[in-house]
Amino acid sequence: MSFLLNFKQDLIDPSNRLSSWTVDGDCCHWLGVVCHNLTAHVHQLHLRSFPPVWDDSMSQEQNDAEYEAYWRSRFGGKLNPSLLDLKHLNYFDLSFNNFFASPILECLSSMKSLTSLNLFNAGFVGLIPHQLGNLSNLLYLNLEGYGSNDLYVNNLQWLSGLPLLQHLDMSYVNLSKASDWVQVTNTLPSLFDLRLSSSQLPFIPSTLTVNFSSLLTLDLSDNYFEKSLIPSWIFGLRNLVSLDLSYNYFQGPIPVDLHNMTSLRDLDLAGNNFNSSIPNWLYSFSRLESLNLRFNNLQGTISSAIGNLTSVIKIDLLGNELGGKLPRSLGDLCNLQYIELSSNKWSQEISEILESLSGCLSDRLEFLSLGDSQLHGHLPNELGLFKNLVELYFSNNSISGPLPVSFGQLSKLEIVYIGSNMLKGVVSEVHFSNLTSLRTLFASRNQLTLKASQNWIPPFQLEYLSLQSWNLGPKFPPWLCLQRHLQALDISDTRISDVVPPSFWNLSSQFEKLNLSHNLIHGEIPVILSASVIDLSSNHFKGPLPCISSNVYGLDLSNNSFSGSISHFFCFRVNEHKTIVHLNLGKNLLSGIIPDCLMNWNDLVVLNLGNNSFSGSIPASMGSLTHLKSLHLNKNKFSGKLPSSLKNCENLVTIDVVENRLVGNIPSWIGHGCSSLMILNLRSNYFHGHIPKELCALASLQILDLSHNKLSGSIPRCVKNFSAMATNNISNDHLNSNRSFTHYLYLETLPLESALLVIKGNIFEYGTILPLVKSIDFSKNGLSGKIPIEVTSLQGLHFLNLSYNLLIGSIPENIGAMGSLESIDFSMNQLSGQIPSSMSSLTFLSHLNLSNNNLTRKIPLSTQLQSFNALGFIGNKLCGLPLSNNCTINDVNLDKENKGSKHNGGLEVDWFFVSMALGFVVGFWGVCGPLLLNKQWKIMYFQFLDHTGYKLKSLVLL
């Protein structure tokens, strides 16, 4: 007894489970202690903790509370060596505890009587002591790490000291150094259960003389053997009942040698690269109860011979390339409870499938999944025959017509996915009449209308509901206020034009995900928002911004009518750390300054305050947002300079401050402090000075817009360093990588990263394809000098705008190398020389404006250039199509080079132009001279013009 009390002293027992272990008690009656009936020796210690099993009858909060209670009750601390004095101990179970950061004691190897040692998910770390090989009586050894590889070995030679071992589980133990794993386990003649899942096994030999032929279970899943075939020795294990080789990258056809393993009841080959059809011999496994072939490249059809799998309970073929029609013999498998056939290419009417399954399976089937396929047709009334159906997945097909009324008879149904189809018609209370077990309904993106009375009380209590694009309006559905267990709700784009009732806001604290976007909902928000992801965008909400709790992870309130200051929002509970990552307040009526309260918002990745009326300077505390990737402050009234503290935001991918009142030089720190920048948009501000050469260090830059400022100097020649613009390769989508967190459970993602760009003279908003766009816009500044030839190295550039500057010199001759260009605007400069002939090779070019320069000579001939509007060439000295002049005047061909004669020193006088010049001089001074020199004539002339103007005005009015 004293040994056990010493052992207890070093244990951490947070819930006092071992309260019965006292000095004056009988240890054989203590919790977890089992004594021998005759000798009273302690021979078993059951000290495992018990994680709860998810209970579908309880809410998420209740299940979470159960798990939290388990989490708090786990034993911890360390193992006291006094255990060694329990000489007769043969059973020791410490599973599901938390001995975090403690190693497995070597002294356990002295407990020679042990026949069963269970340390499954006990939290031990470090090297597994090889001394465990001294436990020669061990029958059962479980060291599974349950999702972590914190335990490891250098080799497995010590296993050879366990000749009686029957069960070995080292799943999630790091065995990457155990090159001897097969050879050693093959020496254990009594072994019938071997589990080495997710153990980083270094390789698997292709051949082996099998000694452990007594094996009944072999699990080598999730080891990712590199592009190998299933080793032939596995097929020699004829007694195997369960074989799991999933997620190992095995390739080729499903090996024919599996044909002889007729004892199999569970076969799992999921997550490999088998590229054959399903062989007919596989359907002859009459004992098979579970077949998992999901996520392979299987092709072809399913043979009618599948009807021979008379014992099968579960079939999983998710994520293959199977097609054609499902055989009717599938309905003959009367033991079948689980059918997963989603993400294939079935070209069949859904009614035909349900009809074939409606025989003996109508009272048996619990799980039916046919989503992401090519099914069509109407749902038949036979759907109501599947009385035991618990989960139903039909999403992402082309199923049309109404939802049958018989749907309401599926009383055991808990989870339904019928979204992204073409269902139409009215859904009424009858469709839900008996769905008392329903917990999840995902039916978004259909064209259904829900008509329920104002006092309807649904028979279900939902946890997840998504009805996006249904017609639920115009009133806010009152029955939603009765759903006391809702955790995720999406009723976006459902034509609601009402005020949200207070009883619904009272439920808001229970939500994890809430999406009411794209409706016409109005009124104010009277509560503190606390859901993890909230999307209320594109409504008519008004009043002050609601405050948020520290639990909010993503919030989109854009495109509403929120007004007033934002100070209370950012400074709410100013000392409380905010976990929000995505914040979009764009397109509202917010005003005032941004308070300097951002220090506790430093988890922000996306911040969008664009399209409001904020003023004042950008606060220096914005530099504390060190995780920030996307910053949108566009279309406000910010003044002052960009704060230098922003250089601390080294992860910035987007800076958008379009249409503000920012001044000063473009900061050079942007080039060095924001090396990941892909979008820099400073359009329509008051920046002045030169374009800093430091910007050229932004190798990832794809969009650079410095237009409508007061910049001067030349275009830096180092623009050739914009590597992302110099290639046609599509870069990694870092622009939208920050939104993956928002796609959680059943709500839609928050919006994509977007940007407003001036392209071809028009403003476009780019979202989905933004990562593909590459653009430079330096227009409407005071830039001078020549267009550097280095610009032509940007061969991935799509849009180039240098218009309205003071650029001189010629257009770079090899501009034709920029083969991706779709738009060029060099208008309103002082460019001279000819249009380069290489420009005619720009086959993607759809917009060209070279107007109002000093360009001369003939426009190069090409299908491309002659197809453009003539307005893009006017204001130059050009000729040829698309202009109306054809390069010849009085039979003088301007296309030919004028060569001087030896009589005039190489210069040929064109008297036509000389006479035009003389005529202009004589005419100008003949008319305008007297007006300038004679005051009386001048007064009479302007009086005449005024009189004529009044007459014309009178005629127009009449």
Side-chain angles (χ1 to χ4, degrees):
M1 182 172 67
S2 59
F3 308 143
L4 290 175
L5 292 175
N6 291 335
F7 171 68
K8 176 187 175 182
Q9 287 180 357
D10 286 343
L11 279 183
I12 296 174
D13 182 10
S15 59
N16 200 24
R17 288 163 56 194
L18 301 185
S19 58
S20 61
W21 290 30
T22 58
V23 175
D24 54 352
D26 181 359
C27 68
C28 292
H29 293 93
W30 290 354
L31 178 75
V33 178
V34 177
C35 297
H36 194 276
N37 290 334
L38 299 178
T39 64
H41 292 141
V42 175
H43 71 119
Q44 292 188 16
L45 279 181
H46 297 260
L47 297 179
R48 71 178 297 173
S49 296
F50 293 91
V53 177
W54 183 274
D55 187 347
D56 292 335
S57 65
M58 297 193 306
S59 67
Q60 172 83 35
E61 291 87 352
Q62 291 171 317
N63 278 294
D64 288 346
E66 290 282 325
Y67 190 81
E68 187 176 345
Y70 150 70
W71 199 258
R72 289 195 306 266
S73 69
R74 295 176 302 164
F75 292 124
K78 61 181 181 179
L79 300 184
N80 190 297
S82 62
L83 279 174
L84 300 182
D85 295 314
L86 300 173
K87 302 295 185 181
H88 304 281
L89 192 68
N90 58 45
Y91 182 98
F92 191 26
D93 186 351
L94 279 177
S95 57
F96 292 102
N97 282 301
N98 185 29
F99 295 93
F100 184 68
S102 296
I104 298 175
L105 291 181
E106 294 179 9
C107 61
L108 287 178
S109 61
S110 300
M111 304 174 72
K112 297 297 180 62
S113 298
L114 273 181
T115 59
S116 178
L117 177 60
N118 190 351
L119 303 181
F120 172 38
N121 193 28
F124 291 109
V125 300
L127 179 68
I128 295 175
H130 63 84
Q131 289 85 352
L132 291 183
N134 296 330
L135 301 175
S136 55
N137 291 310
L138 212 56
L139 303 176
Y140 180 99
L141 177 60
N142 191 337
L143 302 173
E144 181 179 345
Y146 196 66
S148 69
N149 291 108
D150 295 329
L151 288 170
Y152 69 95
V153 300
N154 290 326
N155 60 67
L156 289 176
Q157 285 297 320
W158 53 272
L159 282 177
S160 58
L162 309 176
L164 304 179
L165 197 63
Q166 298 175 0
H167 176 104
L168 174 63
D169 192 340
M170 298 183 73
S171 298
Y172 293 100
V173 175
N174 187 342
L175 303 181
S176 59
K177 296 181 180 179
S179 57
D180 55 352
W181 70 271
V182 177
Q183 289 80 3
V184 173
T185 54
N186 192 32
T187 63
L188 303 174
S190 300
L191 196 64
F192 63 78
D193 193 348
L194 176 61
R195 302 172 189 265
L196 302 177
S197 174
S198 302
S199 297
Q200 304 180 42
L201 294 175
F203 73 100
I204 186 167
S206 56
T207 58
L208 180 73
T209 302
V210 174
N211 293 323
F212 51 10
S213 56
S214 58
L215 268 183
L216 299 178
T217 299
L218 177 62
D219 183 356
L220 301 178
S221 61
D222 290 285
N223 280 291
Y224 300 101
F225 300 115
E226 283 295 326
K227 294 182 179 179
S228 59
L229 302 175
I230 295 179
S232 58
W233 57 267
I234 288 181
F235 308 130
L237 302 173
R238 300 292 178 83
N239 294 317
L240 275 183
V241 172
S242 176
L243 175 62
D244 190 347
L245 300 177
S246 60
Y247 300 98
N248 279 311
Y249 293 145
F250 290 128
Q251 59 184 359
I254 296 176
V256 67
D257 291 330
L258 273 172
H259 182 245
N260 296 320
M261 305 181 73
T262 53
S263 298
L264 282 175
R265 292 178 185 169
D266 298 293
L267 176 61
D268 193 341
L269 300 178
N272 286 290
N273 290 316
F274 298 123
N275 55 10
S276 63
S277 58
I278 299 176
N280 277 344
W281 53 259
L282 190 57
Y283 302 129
S284 64
F285 283 23
S286 57
R287 297 183 184 180
L288 201 64
E289 297 177 359
S290 175
L291 174 63
N292 190 350
L293 299 175
R294 65 162 51 194
F295 298 131
N296 278 284
N297 296 312
L298 298 173
Q299 301 160 10
T301 61
I302 294 180
S303 166
S304 60
I306 196 172
N308 296 327
L309 299 177
T310 52
S311 299
V312 74
I313 297 172
K314 176 179 178 179
I315 294 177
D316 191 339
L317 301 176
L318 170 70
N320 283 286
E321 299 291 323
L322 297 167
K325 292 188 175 184
L326 293 171
R328 297 188 66 86
S329 58
L330 196 63
D332 298 331
L333 304 178
C334 295
N335 291 309
L336 199 57
Q337 299 176 17
Y338 183 109
I339 305 177
E340 172 60 271
L341 301 173
S342 293
S343 299
N344 281 284
K345 298 179 179 180
W346 316 116
S347 55
Q348 194 171 1
E349 288 204 13
I350 185 67
S351 58
E352 187 179 345
I353 296 175
L354 293 178
E355 181 186 348
S356 66
L357 297 178
S358 61
C360 60
L361 288 181
S362 60
D363 294 326
R364 182 78 174 174
L365 201 60
E366 297 178 6
F367 182 103
L368 176 60
S369 180
L370 288 162
D372 294 289
S373 299
Q374 299 175 10
L375 302 177
H376 52 275
H378 293 191
L379 286 172
N381 278 324
E382 283 81 1
L383 181 62
L385 298 176
F386 295 89
K387 302 296 185 182
N388 283 307
L389 205 59
V390 176
E391 297 185 39
L392 176 65
Y393 298 86
F394 285 166
S395 289
N396 294 294
N397 280 290
S398 298
I399 301 172
S400 57
L403 186 67
V405 174
S406 61
F407 176 74
Q409 304 305 312
L410 303 176
S411 58
K412 294 187 178 180
L413 203 58
E414 297 180 10
I415 299 174
V416 178
Y417 275 74
I418 54 173
S420 299
N421 278 288
M422 296 185 291
L423 296 171
K424 293 182 180 180
V426 174
V427 178
S428 67
E429 300 171 17
V430 180
H431 288 82
F432 301 103
S433 56
N434 290 318
L435 301 187
T436 54
S437 302
L438 193 63
R439 295 185 291 110
T440 296
L441 175 59
F442 188 90
S444 289
R445 294 184 294 276
N446 283 290
Q447 300 176 40
L448 295 168
T449 298
L450 178 60
K451 289 189 176 180
S453 62
Q454 289 294 304
N455 56 1
W456 179 47
I457 301 177
F460 47 73
Q461 283 291 322
L462 295 173
E463 296 175 10
Y464 307 104
L465 174 63
S466 181
L467 301 178
Q468 180 196 19
S469 78
W470 280 44
N471 183 1
L472 302 181
K475 293 292 185 180
F476 192 92
W479 57 270
L480 282 175
C481 304
L482 305 175
Q483 298 298 303
R484 303 296 178 186
H485 303 310
L486 262 182
Q487 299 171 45
L489 173 65
D490 184 352
I491 52 171
S492 59
D493 189 23
T494 50
R495 307 182 191 178
I496 298 173
S497 55
D498 193 11
V499 176
V500 177
S503 55
F504 179 82
W505 289 127
N506 291 338
L507 299 176
S508 62
S509 60
Q510 73 189 31
F511 288 121
E512 293 182 8
K513 318 289 174 288
L514 176 62
N515 190 347
L516 307 181
S517 66
H518 295 86
N519 283 291
L520 299 172
I521 301 173
H522 50 276
E524 298 187 5
I525 299 177
V527 295
I528 297 172
L529 298 175
S530 58
S532 297
V533 176
I534 305 166
D535 189 351
L536 306 181
S537 63
S538 299
N539 278 289
H540 291 165
F541 287 112
K542 63 179 182 179
L545 281 175
C547 292
I548 64 172
S549 76
S550 59
N551 299 323
V552 177
Y553 198 57
L555 175 65
D556 191 346
L557 300 179
S558 63
N559 200 19
N560 277 286
S561 298
F562 292 109
S563 59
S565 170
I566 201 173
S567 296
H568 70 284
F569 178 82
F570 277 121
C571 301
F572 178 66
R573 297 175 183 169
V574 67
N575 295 320
E576 179 183 80
H577 178 75
K578 304 297 190 297
T579 59
I580 188 166
V581 174
H582 183 120
L583 176 61
N584 189 349
L585 302 177
K587 298 180 182 178
N588 277 288
L589 305 174
L590 301 168
S591 58
I593 64 170
I594 306 297
D596 221 2
C597 295
L598 300 178
M599 293 75 67
N600 288 311
W601 295 69
N602 52 11
D603 286 343
L604 273 174
V605 174
V606 176
L607 176 59
N608 190 337
L609 303 178
N611 288 273
N612 281 286
S613 296
F614 294 119
S615 56
S617 59
I618 299 171
S621 59
M622 199 164 282
S624 64
L625 308 180
T626 53
H627 294 100
L628 200 63
K629 289 186 177 181
S630 176
L631 177 62
H632 291 268
L633 303 176
N634 53 297
K635 291 195 173 183
N636 280 286
K637 300 174 184 176
F638 289 115
S639 56
K641 298 181 178 182
L642 279 174
S644 59
S645 61
L646 279 178
K647 64 185 175 184
N648 299 325
C649 306
E650 298 178 351
N651 298 309
L652 273 170
V653 174
T654 299
I655 298 178
D656 184 355
V657 293
V658 166
E659 294 185 34
N660 280 285
R661 300 170 181 175
L662 299 173
V663 299
N665 294 321
I666 295 176
S668 59
W669 54 258
I670 293 178
H672 298 305
C674 305
S675 58
S676 299
L677 207 61
M678 297 176 69
I679 297 177
L680 178 59
N681 201 338
L682 309 181
R683 175 166 51 86
S684 297
N685 280 282
Y686 299 103
F687 291 109
H688 58 77
H690 292 190
I691 299 174
K693 294 181 179 178
E694 287 81 1
L695 292 187
C696 298
L698 300 174
S700 299
L701 200 64
Q702 293 188 194
I703 295 172
L704 176 59
D705 191 343
L706 308 179
S707 63
H708 291 256
N709 280 286
K710 298 181 178 181
L711 301 175
S712 58
S714 59
I715 299 173
R717 300 180 66 177
C718 61
V719 292
K720 64 182 179 181
N721 295 332
F722 293 143
S723 303
M725 300 183 189
T727 175
N728 290 317
N729 294 338
I730 299 173
S731 60
N732 293 327
D733 188 5
H734 298 300
L735 289 174
N736 288 310
S737 61
N738 52 53
R739 61 189 270 271
S740 59
F741 67 90
T742 62
H743 190 60
Y744 182 59
L745 294 178
Y746 309 104
L747 283 180
E748 300 301 313
T749 60
L750 293 172
L752 291 161
E753 179 77 355
S754 63
L756 289 173
L757 304 178
V758 179
I759 303 297
K760 304 176 186 178
N762 297 304
I763 297 179
F764 297 96
E765 183 170 7
Y766 284 83
T768 305
I769 65 169
L770 184 60
L772 310 179
V773 178
K774 300 178 181 181
S775 170
I776 287 180
D777 191 344
F778 292 162
S779 63
K780 296 193 177 178
N781 280 287
L783 299 176
S784 57
K786 296 182 178 181
I787 300 175
I789 193 172
E790 287 78 7
V791 169
T792 62
S793 65
L794 305 180
Q795 297 180 15
L797 201 65
H798 301 121
F799 309 108
L800 177 60
N801 191 346
L802 306 178
S803 63
Y804 288 87
N805 279 290
L806 303 172
L807 299 173
I808 61 173
S810 58
I811 299 173
E813 183 60 38
N814 64 333
I815 194 171
M818 303 176 72
S820 298
L821 277 176
E822 300 176 30
S823 174
I824 297 175
D825 193 344
F826 293 163
S827 62
M828 301 300 292
N829 278 287
Q830 300 172 19
L831 300 174
S832 58
Q834 304 180 52
I835 298 175
S837 58
S838 68
M839 192 175 282
S840 61
S841 63
L842 298 176
T843 53
F844 290 104
L845 200 63
S846 59
H847 176 81
L848 177 64
N849 192 349
L850 304 177
S851 64
N852 298 295
N853 279 286
N854 297 317
L855 300 172
T856 60
R857 309 194 69 75
K858 184 177 180 179
I859 298 172
L861 287 173
S862 76
T863 305
Q864 196 75 5
L865 296 181
Q866 272 64 52
S867 66
F868 292 123
N869 194 304
L871 294 176
F873 299 95
I874 63 172
N876 289 287
K877 299 175 183 177
L878 296 167
C879 61
L881 294 175
L883 296 174
S884 57
N885 54 329
N886 59 3
C887 295
T888 59
I889 300 176
N890 294 336
D891 295 327
V892 177
N893 192 340
L894 294 182
D895 192 35
K896 294 181 179 179
E897 185 180 354
N898 291 323
K899 297 181 180 179
S901 67
K902 28 187 179 177
H903 300 292
N904 57 17
L907 296 174
E908 182 178 333
V909 179
D910 192 329
W911 292 105
F912 174 78
F913 291 109
V914 172
S915 62
M916 284 180 63
L918 289 173
F920 171 77
V921 172
V922 172
F924 176 82
W925 287 107
V927 175
C928 298
L931 294 177
L932 294 173
L933 299 175
N934 191 311
K935 183 177 180 180
Q936 187 175 359
W937 283 27
K938 181 163 53 178
I939 293 172
M940 292 174 64
Y941 177 68
F942 284 111
Q943 286 177 342
F944 168 75
L945 290 178
D946 286 341
H947 183 66
T948 305
Y950 286 128
K951 282 189 174 183
L952 290 172
K953 185 176 181 181
S954 299
L955 289 171
V956 171
L957 290 174
L958 289 173

